Amino acid sequence: MTTMDLTRTVPRWGGFNRTLLGIELKRLLRNRRTLIFTFAFPGMMLLAFGGQDDRNESVGQGNVAAYILVAMALYGASMISASTGASVAMERAQGWSRQLRLTPLRPAAYVFTKSLCALSMGVVAITVVNLIGVAQGRAQMPLGTWLACGLLTVVCTLTFAALGVFVGYLVPGENAMQFLGPGMAALAFLGNVFIPIPQGTLMWTVSAFTPMFGVAEISRFPLTGELPWYAVVNAVVWLALFVAGAAWRMSKDTARG
């Protein structure tokens, strides 16, 4: 008499695969509200903050308009990446988290998948902002600097993709964006993104410990030529915390009753 082996082998990479990633991306592309937000929001932010006439002062290898462009690309992409990651809140409300219990998918693999989807939307947002910046003709910096800032901004949005997933597992479905919207705006102000904070002040010291400070310094490093070591530490620590928090909350969520 033969016995059946009921043990389940954990797949490579914790269950992460291209099929899962493709399904998640298709779901995003079918959401018209997400697409409109992705294309319209970053461009509106650049037009609102970067359309003034006094943006020609020199900053590093470019001008103030270029500095603002990089900042708005980071904020817009981070906001969209966070909201995309936070879509797990609605999936929880619809029972998708319970379905995941039936699969060998590891929490870290799912968080990574959602982060890649959010990163993809962030790439679109960054591209839109830069195209509008080119059309405006105000931002001035070498092409290599322009491309380097864009690539670093893409990498930096991973932090907020992970934050979105974390928040999505912390709060009920429809409340996720109500929390993230004003929260991201506050982080941008505190993180030296919207308004330059004088270095050495108490506000600067507080800013150096906030999640958006490090990624902001990194994303505009090719333009400014300045990258303090503590900004890199800030970015790495916050990314690690958000990824760990998202994986932890997912494991708790999928382990419930």
Side-chain angles (χ1 to χ4, degrees):
M1 186 176 187
T2 60
T3 59
M4 295 180 61
D5 185 5
L6 299 179
T7 60
R8 184 169 59 182
T9 302
V10 177
R12 294 180 61 190
W13 311 112
F16 170 77
N17 58 79
R18 288 181 295 178
T19 301
L20 176 63
L21 179 61
I23 291 172
E24 292 291 333
L25 285 172
K26 287 178 182 177
R27 292 176 59 207
L28 283 174
L29 295 176
R30 289 194 186 106
N31 190 327
R32 294 181 181 178
R33 188 181 305 175
T34 298
L35 289 178
I36 293 173
F37 186 63
T38 300
F39 282 103
F41 178 75
M44 291 173 60
M45 291 298 298
L46 178 61
L47 292 172
F49 283 86
Q52 291 84 352
D53 294 328
D54 55 346
R55 302 301 184 187
N56 295 320
E57 294 182 18
S58 177
V59 174
Q61 297 189 53
N63 60 0
V64 173
Y67 186 96
I68 294 173
L69 183 146
V70 175
M72 291 304 104
L74 173 66
Y75 177 68
S78 298
M79 185 72 178
I80 289 165
S81 296
S83 64
T84 302
S87 63
V88 298
M90 294 305 299
E91 294 173 4
R92 291 172 63 223
Q94 296 167 359
W96 180 237
S97 295
R98 297 187 180 187
Q99 294 297 319
L100 292 178
R101 300 179 198 175
L102 305 176
T103 74
L105 182 66
R106 291 291 179 87
Y110 187 62
V111 170
F112 184 62
T113 301
K114 298 297 289 188
S115 296
L116 283 181
C117 291
L119 184 66
S120 300
M121 303 305 288
V123 169
V124 176
I126 292 167
T127 302
V128 169
V129 170
N130 280 275
L131 288 176
I132 292 176
V134 171
Q136 273 188 320
R138 298 178 184 274
Q140 297 177 5
M141 54 181 159
L143 178 60
T145 301
W146 207 311
L147 293 175
C149 287
L151 289 174
L152 285 176
T153 304
V154 169
V155 175
C156 288
T157 57
L158 275 173
T159 299
F160 299 97
L163 170 62
V165 177
F166 186 26
V167 171
Y169 276 108
L170 277 177
V171 300
E174 60 277 2
N175 294 336
M177 278 312 299
Q178 295 177 8
F179 176 84
L180 274 176
M184 290 293 293
L187 289 179
F189 276 108
L190 289 173
N192 201 28
V193 175
F194 287 156
I195 302 173
I197 300 173
Q199 194 166 357
T201 62
L202 175 61
M203 183 59 71
W204 173 269
T205 303
V206 173
S207 174
F209 288 94
T210 60
M212 203 168 279
F213 176 86
V215 296
E217 293 289 326
I218 292 172
S219 64
R220 58 191 176 221
F221 165 62
L223 173 64
T224 63
E226 299 176 356
L227 183 58
W229 64 267
Y230 50 85
V232 178
V233 173
N234 174 290
V236 172
V237 168
W238 280 111
L239 174 61
L241 287 174
F242 290 149
V243 169
W248 169 64
R249 286 306 307 169
M250 182 195 173
S251 63
K252 288 288 186 180
D253 191 74
T254 54
R256 290 185 306 175

